């Protein structure tokens, strides 16, 4: 029974001692305004970078199956 109490006490100390830091958020407006065109170009670049290779692999899935 004392083993259970000591393990519970250790868990309490571990949970109590965790320090949660707050994120450094700023309430100021943005320094540089980004136009809608620049946002569109950036989003397009992200989508092509992320979805391009996966789309290529999925489009050629049958080639990978028959090649092995």
């Amino acid at each position: 029974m004392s083993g259970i109490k000591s393990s519970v006490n250790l868990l309490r100390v571990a949970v109590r001692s965790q320090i949660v830091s707050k994120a450094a958020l700023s309430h100021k407006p943005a320094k540089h305004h980004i136009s809608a065109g620049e946002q569109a170009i950036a989003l397009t670049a992200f989508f092509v970078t992320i979805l391009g290779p996966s789309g290529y692999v999925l489009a050629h899935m049958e080639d990978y199956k028959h090649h092995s």
Side-chain angles (χ1 to χ4, degrees):
M1 189 70 174
S2 65
I4 294 173
K5 286 183 181 181
S6 64
S7 62
V8 169
N9 285 336
L10 285 174
L11 287 173
R12 281 187 195 154
V13 170
V15 170
R16 200 178 318 152
S17 66
Q18 291 179 353
I19 298 173
V20 178
S21 63
K22 294 183 179 179
L25 297 176
S26 174
H27 298 285
K28 298 177 184 177
K31 292 181 182 178
H32 305 287
H33 178 71
I34 299 175
S35 69
E38 291 173 333
Q39 290 178 6
I41 291 171
L43 284 174
T44 303
F46 282 126
F47 283 127
V48 167
T49 303
I50 294 170
L51 296 177
S54 60
Y56 178 83
V57 169
L58 288 174
H60 292 88
M61 187 66 72
E62 294 298 323
D63 296 337
Y64 293 133
K65 287 180 182 178
H66 295 297
H67 188 76
S68 305

